[in-house]
Amino acid sequence: MRLVHRLSQMKRSILLLIVALLLMLEGGLVWAAVHVSQRPATPAAVQGTPPRPGASGAAPTPGAAAPTLAPSSAGIELRPMPREASALVAVGDLAAVAETFDVEEALAHVEELTAPKYAGREAGSPGSRAAAEYLAEQFAAYGLQAAGTDGYYQTFDTPYAEVMAVPVLEYTRADGQAGDELVFREDFAWVWGGYSGGGRADGTVYWLNNGSPSDYRGLDVKGEIVLVRSENAEEAARQALEHGADGLLLLTENQQRIAIRRTYRELPYLSRSLPTLWVSPAVASALLDGSGYTLDDLTFLYRSFELETSARLKVPMKEHGEAPARNVLGVLPGADPALRDQVLILGAHYDHVGLDPEGTIYAGANDNASGVAVLLEIAHSWQAAGYTPERSVLFAAWDAEEQGLFGSQHYVREPSFPLTRTVGMIQLDMVGLAVTGTL
Protein backbone atom coordinates (compact mmCIF):
# COMPACT_ATOMS: atom_id res chain seq x y z
CA MET A 1 0.00 0.00 0.00
CA ARG A 2 1.60 3.23 -1.14
CA LEU A 3 0.39 5.41 1.72
CA VAL A 4 1.49 2.85 4.26
CA HIS A 5 4.91 2.76 2.63
CA ARG A 6 5.16 6.53 2.88
CA LEU A 7 4.00 6.44 6.48
CA SER A 8 7.07 4.33 7.22
CA GLN A 9 9.19 7.33 6.22
CA MET A 10 7.62 9.53 8.88
CA LYS A 11 9.64 8.46 11.91
CA ARG A 12 11.48 11.73 12.43
CA SER A 13 8.35 13.84 12.12
CA ILE A 14 6.36 11.63 14.47
CA LEU A 15 9.11 11.74 17.06
CA LEU A 16 9.25 15.51 16.84
CA LEU A 17 5.50 15.64 17.39
CA ILE A 18 5.68 13.37 20.42
CA VAL A 19 8.61 15.31 21.88
CA ALA A 20 6.61 18.52 21.43
CA LEU A 21 3.63 16.95 23.17
CA LEU A 22 5.74 15.67 26.06
CA LEU A 23 7.51 18.97 26.49
CA MET A 24 4.26 20.91 26.52
CA LEU A 25 2.83 18.59 29.13
CA GLU A 26 5.93 18.93 31.31
CA GLY A 27 6.40 22.64 30.66
CA GLY A 28 3.18 23.95 32.16
CA LEU A 29 0.92 24.07 29.11
CA VAL A 30 -1.75 26.75 29.17
CA TRP A 31 -3.07 26.41 25.62
CA ALA A 32 -1.82 24.41 22.64
CA ALA A 33 -2.76 25.19 19.07
CA VAL A 34 -4.32 22.49 16.95
CA HIS A 35 -1.24 22.46 14.73
CA VAL A 36 1.86 21.98 16.84
CA SER A 37 4.25 23.30 14.22
CA GLN A 38 2.39 26.61 14.03
CA ARG A 39 2.21 27.29 17.78
CA PRO A 40 5.34 25.90 19.46
CA ALA A 41 5.36 25.72 23.22
CA THR A 42 8.22 27.00 25.36
CA PRO A 43 9.22 23.86 27.26
CA ALA A 44 11.40 23.36 30.24
CA ALA A 45 14.65 21.51 29.61
CA VAL A 46 14.23 17.77 29.91
CA GLN A 47 17.45 16.09 28.79
CA GLY A 48 19.00 14.65 31.93
CA THR A 49 16.64 16.57 34.21
CA PRO A 50 14.92 14.62 36.99
CA PRO A 51 11.16 14.43 36.58
CA ARG A 52 8.91 16.74 38.53
CA PRO A 53 7.11 15.25 41.50
CA GLY A 54 4.36 12.97 40.21
CA ALA A 55 5.49 13.07 36.57
CA SER A 56 6.47 9.43 36.37
CA GLY A 57 5.04 5.97 36.39
CA ALA A 58 5.87 5.35 40.03
CA ALA A 59 3.32 5.16 42.81
CA PRO A 60 3.10 8.19 45.16
CA THR A 61 5.85 8.30 47.76
CA PRO A 62 5.03 7.18 51.30
CA GLY A 63 3.67 10.00 53.39
CA ALA A 64 2.54 12.04 50.42
CA ALA A 65 -0.97 13.45 50.46
CA ALA A 66 -3.55 11.04 49.07
CA PRO A 67 -4.52 11.97 45.51
CA THR A 68 -7.95 13.47 45.07
CA LEU A 69 -10.30 11.93 42.56
CA ALA A 70 -11.45 14.53 40.04
CA PRO A 71 -15.02 13.99 38.79
CA SER A 72 -15.82 15.09 35.25
CA SER A 73 -19.00 16.69 33.90
CA ALA A 74 -19.97 13.19 32.74
CA GLY A 75 -19.41 11.68 36.18
CA ILE A 76 -16.03 10.14 35.27
CA GLU A 77 -13.52 10.01 38.09
CA LEU A 78 -9.87 10.32 37.20
CA ARG A 79 -8.31 7.43 39.07
CA PRO A 80 -4.53 7.39 39.56
CA MET A 81 -3.00 4.59 37.51
CA PRO A 82 0.43 3.73 38.97
CA ARG A 83 3.01 2.58 36.47
CA GLU A 84 6.49 1.24 36.96
CA ALA A 85 8.75 3.94 35.56
CA SER A 86 11.49 2.90 33.17
CA ALA A 87 15.04 4.12 33.64
CA LEU A 88 14.45 6.80 31.00
CA VAL A 89 11.45 8.17 32.88
CA ALA A 90 13.25 7.94 36.20
CA VAL A 91 16.01 10.29 35.00
CA GLY A 92 13.59 12.56 33.15
CA ASP A 93 14.91 11.82 29.65
CA LEU A 94 11.64 12.43 27.86
CA ALA A 95 13.30 12.87 24.47
CA ALA A 96 14.59 9.32 24.77
CA VAL A 97 11.10 8.19 25.79
CA ALA A 98 9.77 9.73 22.59
CA GLU A 99 12.37 7.78 20.63
CA THR A 100 10.75 4.55 21.82
CA PHE A 101 7.84 5.25 19.44
CA ASP A 102 7.68 2.13 17.23
CA VAL A 103 6.87 2.93 13.60
CA GLU A 104 6.24 -0.73 12.81
CA GLU A 105 3.61 -0.89 15.55
CA ALA A 106 1.93 2.20 14.07
CA LEU A 107 2.03 0.65 10.59
CA ALA A 108 0.33 -2.45 11.95
CA HIS A 109 -2.60 -0.29 13.09
CA VAL A 110 -2.81 1.37 9.66
CA GLU A 111 -2.89 -2.02 7.96
CA GLU A 112 -5.57 -3.24 10.36
CA LEU A 113 -7.85 -0.24 9.95
CA THR A 114 -7.59 -0.32 6.16
CA ALA A 115 -8.51 -4.01 5.98
CA PRO A 116 -11.57 -4.97 3.88
CA LYS A 117 -13.55 -6.03 6.94
CA TYR A 118 -13.88 -2.36 7.95
CA ALA A 119 -15.19 -1.41 4.47
CA GLY A 120 -13.85 2.14 4.56
CA ARG A 121 -15.14 2.96 8.07
CA GLU A 122 -18.07 5.13 7.01
CA ALA A 123 -19.73 6.62 10.09
CA GLY A 124 -22.89 4.72 10.98
CA SER A 125 -21.91 1.62 9.00
CA PRO A 126 -21.09 -1.87 10.33
CA GLY A 127 -17.46 -1.30 9.31
CA SER A 128 -17.25 1.82 11.43
CA ARG A 129 -18.73 0.03 14.42
CA ALA A 130 -16.16 -2.74 14.03
CA ALA A 131 -13.36 -0.16 13.87
CA ALA A 132 -14.63 1.46 17.08
CA GLU A 133 -14.52 -1.92 18.81
CA TYR A 134 -10.92 -2.43 17.67
CA LEU A 135 -9.93 0.98 19.03
CA ALA A 136 -11.64 0.36 22.36
CA GLU A 137 -9.72 -2.92 22.67
CA GLN A 138 -6.44 -1.10 22.04
CA PHE A 139 -7.26 1.63 24.56
CA ALA A 140 -7.95 -1.02 27.20
CA ALA A 141 -4.75 -2.92 26.34
CA TYR A 142 -2.71 0.28 26.65
CA GLY A 143 -4.03 1.03 30.12
CA LEU A 144 -6.35 3.93 29.34
CA GLN A 145 -9.35 4.51 31.56
CA ALA A 146 -12.74 4.45 29.80
CA ALA A 147 -14.00 8.01 29.34
CA GLY A 148 -17.20 7.64 27.32
CA THR A 149 -20.83 7.46 28.35
CA ASP A 150 -20.85 3.71 27.64
CA GLY A 151 -17.43 2.44 28.57
CA TYR A 152 -15.05 3.78 25.94
CA TYR A 153 -17.92 4.83 23.66
CA GLN A 154 -19.68 8.16 23.36
CA THR A 155 -22.65 7.54 21.08
CA PHE A 156 -24.52 10.08 18.95
CA ASP A 157 -26.66 10.01 15.81
CA THR A 158 -25.27 10.86 12.39
CA PRO A 159 -26.93 11.14 8.95
CA TYR A 160 -26.73 7.81 7.13
CA ALA A 161 -27.86 6.29 3.85
CA GLU A 162 -26.77 3.34 1.69
CA VAL A 163 -26.62 3.06 -2.09
CA MET A 164 -27.65 -0.54 -2.61
CA ALA A 165 -26.54 -1.04 -6.25
CA VAL A 166 -24.54 0.79 -8.90
CA PRO A 167 -26.52 3.81 -10.14
CA VAL A 168 -27.63 3.83 -13.78
CA LEU A 169 -27.71 6.64 -16.34
CA GLU A 170 -28.80 5.89 -19.90
CA TYR A 171 -29.94 8.16 -22.71
CA THR A 172 -31.64 7.96 -26.10
CA ARG A 173 -30.38 10.00 -29.03
CA ALA A 174 -32.49 12.32 -31.14
CA ASP A 175 -32.88 9.55 -33.74
CA GLY A 176 -34.33 7.17 -31.15
CA GLN A 177 -31.21 5.02 -30.89
CA ALA A 178 -29.63 4.13 -27.57
CA GLY A 179 -26.72 6.36 -26.62
CA ASP A 180 -23.21 5.27 -25.70
CA GLU A 181 -22.72 3.42 -22.43
CA LEU A 182 -22.06 5.79 -19.52
CA VAL A 183 -19.73 4.69 -16.74
CA PHE A 184 -20.28 5.31 -13.04
CA ARG A 185 -17.47 7.37 -11.46
CA GLU A 186 -16.19 8.35 -14.91
CA ASP A 187 -19.27 9.98 -16.45
CA PHE A 188 -21.60 10.44 -13.51
CA ALA A 189 -22.05 9.97 -9.76
CA TRP A 190 -24.89 10.34 -7.32
CA VAL A 191 -25.73 13.35 -5.16
CA TRP A 192 -27.29 12.63 -1.77
CA GLY A 193 -28.57 14.45 1.27
CA GLY A 194 -31.14 17.22 1.65
CA TYR A 195 -33.51 17.24 -1.33
CA SER A 196 -31.41 14.75 -3.32
CA GLY A 197 -31.39 11.01 -2.82
CA GLY A 198 -32.56 7.74 -4.28
CA GLY A 199 -35.20 6.97 -6.86
CA ARG A 200 -35.67 6.68 -10.58
CA ALA A 201 -36.70 8.95 -13.42
CA ASP A 202 -37.43 8.46 -17.11
CA GLY A 203 -38.29 11.35 -19.42
CA THR A 204 -37.36 14.05 -21.86
CA VAL A 205 -34.31 16.14 -20.94
CA TYR A 206 -34.67 19.92 -20.58
CA TRP A 207 -31.74 22.33 -20.49
CA LEU A 208 -32.49 24.78 -17.68
CA ASN A 209 -29.33 26.94 -17.71
CA ASN A 210 -28.48 27.65 -14.02
CA GLY A 211 -31.70 26.18 -12.68
CA SER A 212 -32.97 29.42 -11.18
CA PRO A 213 -36.73 30.08 -10.97
CA SER A 214 -36.64 32.31 -14.03
CA ASP A 215 -35.00 29.53 -16.06
CA TYR A 216 -38.20 27.47 -15.72
CA ARG A 217 -40.44 30.22 -17.07
CA GLY A 218 -42.64 29.00 -19.93
CA LEU A 219 -41.60 25.34 -19.65
CA ASP A 220 -43.55 22.42 -18.20
CA VAL A 221 -41.01 19.94 -16.80
CA LYS A 222 -43.42 17.87 -14.73
CA GLY A 223 -42.37 14.22 -14.84
CA GLU A 224 -39.27 15.08 -16.89
CA ILE A 225 -35.51 15.35 -16.30
CA VAL A 226 -33.75 18.70 -16.05
CA LEU A 227 -30.11 19.38 -16.87
CA VAL A 228 -28.55 22.45 -15.26
CA ARG A 229 -25.13 23.99 -14.82
CA SER A 230 -24.94 24.59 -11.09
CA GLU A 231 -22.49 23.92 -8.29
CA ASN A 232 -25.27 24.54 -5.73
CA ALA A 233 -26.83 21.09 -5.70
CA GLU A 234 -29.27 21.89 -2.89
CA GLU A 235 -30.83 24.93 -4.55
CA ALA A 236 -30.93 23.24 -7.95
CA ALA A 237 -32.73 20.23 -6.45
CA ARG A 238 -35.19 22.46 -4.60
CA GLN A 239 -36.13 24.30 -7.78
CA ALA A 240 -36.45 21.05 -9.75
CA LEU A 241 -38.79 19.61 -7.12
CA GLU A 242 -40.86 22.78 -6.92
CA HIS A 243 -41.38 22.66 -10.69
CA GLY A 244 -42.35 18.98 -10.71
CA ALA A 245 -39.25 17.39 -12.31
CA ASP A 246 -38.68 13.69 -11.65
CA GLY A 247 -34.89 13.79 -11.99
CA LEU A 248 -31.98 16.21 -11.96
CA LEU A 249 -28.65 16.16 -13.81
CA LEU A 250 -26.02 18.61 -12.55
CA LEU A 251 -23.34 19.52 -15.08
CA THR A 252 -19.96 19.93 -13.40
CA GLU A 253 -16.47 20.50 -14.73
CA ASN A 254 -15.01 19.40 -11.40
CA GLN A 255 -14.18 15.78 -12.13
CA GLN A 256 -13.50 15.11 -8.45
CA ARG A 257 -17.22 15.49 -7.76
CA ILE A 258 -17.71 12.45 -9.95
CA ALA A 259 -14.58 10.40 -9.25
CA ILE A 260 -14.45 10.70 -5.45
CA ARG A 261 -17.05 9.32 -3.08
CA ARG A 262 -18.64 11.88 -0.79
CA THR A 263 -20.18 11.22 2.59
CA TYR A 264 -23.87 11.52 3.40
CA ARG A 265 -24.07 14.79 5.32
CA GLU A 266 -27.70 15.86 5.59
CA LEU A 267 -30.92 14.16 6.55
CA PRO A 268 -33.57 14.02 3.80
CA TYR A 269 -35.71 17.14 3.83
CA LEU A 270 -38.76 15.44 2.35
CA SER A 271 -40.36 12.00 2.46
CA ARG A 272 -39.56 11.60 -1.24
CA SER A 273 -36.09 12.60 -2.45
CA LEU A 274 -35.18 13.66 -5.98
CA PRO A 275 -32.81 11.29 -7.83
CA THR A 276 -29.86 13.53 -8.68
CA LEU A 277 -26.59 12.92 -10.51
CA TRP A 278 -23.45 14.92 -11.19
CA VAL A 279 -22.64 14.53 -14.90
CA SER A 280 -19.50 15.31 -16.87
CA PRO A 281 -19.26 17.73 -19.83
CA ALA A 282 -19.06 14.67 -22.11
CA VAL A 283 -22.48 13.51 -20.89
CA ALA A 284 -23.98 16.97 -21.33
CA SER A 285 -22.60 17.14 -24.87
CA ALA A 286 -24.20 13.77 -25.66
CA LEU A 287 -27.55 14.99 -24.36
CA LEU A 288 -27.38 17.99 -26.71
CA ASP A 289 -27.58 15.60 -29.68
CA GLY A 290 -29.97 16.97 -32.31
CA SER A 291 -30.38 20.36 -30.59
CA GLY A 292 -28.05 22.22 -32.95
CA TYR A 293 -26.04 23.48 -29.99
CA THR A 294 -22.69 22.53 -28.53
CA LEU A 295 -21.67 22.74 -24.90
CA ASP A 296 -19.62 25.84 -25.68
CA ASP A 297 -22.75 27.50 -27.12
CA LEU A 298 -24.47 27.12 -23.75
CA THR A 299 -21.88 29.30 -22.03
CA PHE A 300 -23.40 32.39 -23.70
CA LEU A 301 -26.89 31.12 -24.56
CA TYR A 302 -28.89 32.24 -21.55
CA ARG A 303 -32.14 30.51 -22.26
CA SER A 304 -33.85 27.23 -21.46
CA PHE A 305 -35.29 24.75 -23.95
CA GLU A 306 -36.45 21.18 -24.45
CA LEU A 307 -33.79 18.84 -25.85
CA GLU A 308 -34.27 16.15 -28.48
CA THR A 309 -32.94 13.44 -26.18
CA SER A 310 -34.42 11.51 -23.29
CA ALA A 311 -32.77 9.86 -20.30
CA ARG A 312 -33.33 7.24 -17.67
CA LEU A 313 -31.63 7.35 -14.30
CA LYS A 314 -31.85 5.10 -11.27
CA VAL A 315 -30.25 5.51 -7.85
CA PRO A 316 -31.09 2.50 -5.62
CA MET A 317 -30.71 4.08 -2.21
CA LYS A 318 -31.83 3.12 1.26
CA GLU A 319 -32.24 6.30 3.25
CA HIS A 320 -32.10 5.40 6.92
CA GLY A 321 -32.10 9.02 8.00
CA GLU A 322 -29.79 8.50 10.95
CA ALA A 323 -27.60 5.78 12.42
CA PRO A 324 -25.60 5.60 15.66
CA ALA A 325 -21.97 6.72 15.51
CA ARG A 326 -19.39 6.46 18.29
CA ASN A 327 -16.48 8.50 19.52
CA VAL A 328 -13.96 6.28 21.30
CA LEU A 329 -12.53 7.95 24.41
CA GLY A 330 -9.83 6.80 26.82
CA VAL A 331 -8.03 8.90 29.41
CA LEU A 332 -4.64 8.60 31.09
CA PRO A 333 -5.11 10.37 34.46
CA GLY A 334 -2.30 12.75 35.37
CA ALA A 335 0.32 11.84 37.95
CA ASP A 336 0.24 15.17 39.80
CA PRO A 337 -2.81 15.44 42.13
CA ALA A 338 -2.72 19.24 41.83
CA LEU A 339 -2.84 19.13 38.01
CA ARG A 340 -4.79 15.95 37.35
CA ASP A 341 -8.07 17.72 36.64
CA GLN A 342 -6.44 19.64 33.79
CA VAL A 343 -6.96 17.73 30.53
CA LEU A 344 -5.09 17.79 27.24
CA ILE A 345 -6.96 16.18 24.33
CA LEU A 346 -4.98 14.19 21.78
CA GLY A 347 -7.37 13.43 18.93
CA ALA A 348 -7.68 11.78 15.53
CA HIS A 349 -10.78 10.87 13.52
CA TYR A 350 -11.04 7.22 12.55
CA ASP A 351 -13.94 7.34 10.07
CA HIS A 352 -13.53 7.56 6.30
CA VAL A 353 -16.02 7.52 3.40
CA GLY A 354 -16.91 3.83 3.05
CA LEU A 355 -17.32 1.82 -0.13
CA ASP A 356 -19.12 2.06 -3.46
CA PRO A 357 -21.84 -0.48 -4.31
CA GLU A 358 -19.69 -2.25 -6.92
CA GLY A 359 -17.16 -3.04 -4.18
CA THR A 360 -14.57 -0.26 -4.39
CA ILE A 361 -13.32 0.40 -0.84
CA TYR A 362 -12.04 3.84 0.12
CA ALA A 363 -9.67 2.58 2.78
CA GLY A 364 -8.41 5.94 4.09
CA ALA A 365 -4.85 4.93 4.94
CA ASN A 366 -3.73 8.53 5.16
CA ASP A 367 -7.16 9.99 5.96
CA ASN A 368 -7.06 9.08 8.71
CA ALA A 369 -5.76 5.66 9.73
CA SER A 370 -2.35 7.37 9.87
CA GLY A 371 -3.44 9.80 12.60
CA VAL A 372 -5.18 7.07 14.59
CA ALA A 373 -2.08 4.87 14.34
CA VAL A 374 0.06 7.64 15.84
CA LEU A 375 -2.53 8.18 18.58
CA LEU A 376 -2.45 4.48 19.49
CA GLU A 377 1.32 4.16 19.41
CA ILE A 378 1.73 7.19 21.67
CA ALA A 379 -0.50 5.46 24.22
CA HIS A 380 1.42 2.21 23.74
CA SER A 381 4.90 3.75 24.01
CA TRP A 382 3.95 5.66 27.14
CA GLN A 383 2.65 2.48 28.73
CA ALA A 384 5.79 0.56 27.78
CA ALA A 385 8.01 3.29 29.24
CA GLY A 386 5.94 3.58 32.39
CA TYR A 387 5.39 7.27 31.65
CA THR A 388 2.50 9.31 33.07
CA PRO A 389 2.32 13.06 32.43
CA GLU A 390 1.45 15.50 35.18
CA ARG A 391 -1.84 16.47 33.55
CA SER A 392 -4.46 14.06 32.30
CA VAL A 393 -4.48 13.21 28.60
CA LEU A 394 -7.70 12.27 26.82
CA PHE A 395 -7.08 10.03 23.80
CA ALA A 396 -10.02 10.75 21.49
CA ALA A 397 -10.83 8.83 18.31
CA TRP A 398 -13.57 10.88 16.66
CA ASP A 399 -16.30 9.44 14.45
CA ALA A 400 -18.24 11.20 11.65
CA GLU A 401 -15.54 13.75 10.90
CA GLU A 402 -15.99 13.29 7.16
CA GLN A 403 -19.65 14.32 7.39
CA GLY A 404 -18.75 17.63 8.97
CA LEU A 405 -16.83 17.22 12.26
CA PHE A 406 -19.94 15.75 13.87
CA GLY A 407 -18.09 13.59 16.40
CA SER A 408 -15.87 16.33 17.80
CA GLN A 409 -18.79 18.77 17.78
CA HIS A 410 -20.81 16.30 19.83
CA TYR A 411 -17.96 16.08 22.33
CA VAL A 412 -17.86 19.87 22.67
CA ARG A 413 -21.60 19.84 23.42
CA GLU A 414 -21.28 16.95 25.88
CA PRO A 415 -17.66 16.79 27.07
CA SER A 416 -16.39 14.01 29.28
CA PHE A 417 -14.34 16.60 31.15
CA PRO A 418 -15.19 20.29 31.63
CA LEU A 419 -14.02 22.46 28.78
CA THR A 420 -12.96 25.04 31.35
CA ARG A 421 -10.38 22.50 32.57
CA THR A 422 -9.34 21.43 29.07
CA VAL A 423 -5.99 23.14 28.58
CA GLY A 424 -5.19 22.16 25.01
CA MET A 425 -5.97 20.04 21.99
CA ILE A 426 -3.66 18.40 19.44
CA GLN A 427 -5.31 16.91 16.36
CA LEU A 428 -3.57 14.25 14.26
CA ASP A 429 -4.98 14.30 10.74
CA MET A 430 -3.50 12.89 7.54
CA VAL A 431 0.03 12.61 8.93
CA GLY A 432 1.09 9.91 6.45
CA LEU A 433 2.50 12.20 3.77
CA ALA A 434 5.44 13.88 5.48
CA VAL A 435 7.43 14.42 2.29
CA THR A 436 9.34 17.44 3.63
CA GLY A 437 10.32 16.00 6.99
CA THR A 438 7.67 17.92 8.94
CA LEU A 439 4.02 17.27 9.69
Side-chain angles (χ1 to χ4, degrees):
M1 184 182 298
R2 189 173 182 181
L3 286 176
V4 171
H5 172 71
R6 297 189 71 177
L7 181 62
S8 68
Q9 302 173 1
M10 287 177 49
K11 186 170 183 179
R12 182 171 180 272
S13 295
I14 291 177
L15 294 177
L16 288 175
L17 172 63
I18 298 171
V19 170
L21 172 60
L22 292 171
L23 295 182
M24 284 189 293
L25 288 169
E26 293 304 303
L29 173 66
V30 176
W31 181 260
V34 172
H35 299 289
V36 176
S37 61
Q38 296 176 356
R39 295 286 299 275
T42 304
V46 295
Q47 184 68 32
T49 303
R52 295 183 178 187
S56 71
T61 55
T68 302
L69 299 180
S72 75
S73 58
I76 300 168
E77 292 184 338
L78 290 168
R79 302 185 300 272
M81 304 178 71
R83 289 177 166 178
E84 183 176 351
S86 66
L88 295 175
V89 173
V91 300
D93 192 351
L94 300 184
V97 171
E99 291 282 349
T100 66
F101 184 99
D102 191 330
V103 171
E104 294 303 317
E105 289 285 344
L107 284 171
H109 291 305
V110 174
E111 291 169 348
E112 172 67 24
L113 290 169
T114 55
K117 65 182 177 180
Y118 299 112
R121 309 185 305 282
E122 182 181 7
S125 71
S128 178
R129 290 192 290 274
E133 291 167 5
Y134 173 77
L135 296 176
E137 291 172 1
Q138 304 311 304
F139 280 8
Y142 297 155
L144 301 182
Q145 178 185 332
T149 53
D150 179 17
Y152 290 98
Y153 305 125
Q154 183 188 47
T155 303
F156 59 97
D157 290 331
T158 191
Y160 184 62
E162 295 178 272
V163 177
M164 309 306 293
V166 178
V168 173
L169 175 59
E170 300 172 336
Y171 71 100
T172 302
R173 303 181 197 273
D175 61 7
Q177 299 298 309
D180 295 334
E181 181 181 357
L182 302 177
V183 180
F184 174 64
R185 291 284 177 220
E186 293 182 17
D187 298 309
F188 67 95
W190 73 74
V191 182
W192 59 359
Y195 295 110
S196 299
R200 61 178 64 204
D202 190 341
T204 300
V205 180
Y206 285 74
W207 169 251
L208 269 300
N209 198 28
N210 294 319
S212 65
S214 62
D215 290 322
Y216 285 86
R217 191 171 298 135
L219 293 175
D220 182 3
V221 299
K222 291 179 181 178
E224 310 295 0
I225 296 172
V226 297
L227 169 65
V228 305
R229 188 199 305 271
S230 176
E231 295 297 311
N232 188 338
E234 181 174 311
E235 178 61 18
R238 185 173 75 87
Q239 292 298 329
L241 280 168
E242 286 186 358
H243 289 86
D246 275 359
L248 172 64
L249 303 176
L250 292 167
L251 169 60
T252 180
E253 295 181 359
N254 183 355
Q255 185 60 24
Q256 287 192 333
R257 290 189 181 276
I258 294 172
I260 298 177
R261 179 183 169 92
R262 306 290 175 177
T263 53
Y264 186 76
R265 294 174 175 239
E266 296 176 298
L267 297 176
Y269 296 160
L270 304 173
S271 58
R272 174 183 172 271
S273 298
L274 180 72
T276 306
L277 297 174
W278 292 112
V279 298
S280 69
V283 172
S285 295
L287 293 173
L288 290 173
D289 179 58
S291 70
Y293 295 108
T294 67
L295 194 57
D296 289 339
D297 294 334
L298 298 184
T299 61
F300 58 84
L301 183 69
Y302 296 103
R303 72 179 185 87
S304 305
F305 53 93
E306 179 182 348
L307 299 182
E308 300 297 319
T309 53
S310 61
R312 182 175 73 90
L313 62 99
K314 180 171 66 173
V315 185
M317 186 181 297
K318 186 175 182 181
E319 297 179 74
H320 301 267
E322 290 182 319
R326 298 189 290 188
N327 292 329
V328 186
L329 307 174
V331 64
L332 178 59
D336 188 336
L339 298 175
R340 186 175 298 130
D341 66 343
Q342 296 182 21
V343 178
L344 173 77
I345 301 175
L346 185 59
H349 78 89
Y350 70 90
D351 64 299
H352 196 52
V353 301
L355 79 166
D356 274 339
E358 89 288 1
T360 298
I361 297 175
Y362 298 81
N366 187 39
D367 187 13
N368 185 39
S370 65
V372 175
V374 174
L375 182 80
L376 292 174
E377 180 52 20
I378 290 174
H380 177 225
S381 63
W382 285 5
Q383 180 194 49
Y387 172 74
T388 303
E390 293 179 342
R391 294 165 180 80
S392 298
V393 177
L394 176 65
F395 290 77
W398 312 117
D399 200 359
E401 186 271 354
E402 297 288 354
Q403 277 117 322
L405 308 177
F406 292 163
S408 54
Q409 288 177 358
H410 179 78
Y411 180 85
V412 170
R413 289 192 296 269
E414 299 184 22
S416 297
F417 304 98
L419 298 182
T420 54
R421 303 301 295 169
T422 300
V423 295
M425 198 283 167
I426 297 174
Q427 179 72 6
L428 299 163
D429 203 326
M430 297 177 67
V431 297
L433 295 176
V435 294
T436 62
T438 59
L439 291 176

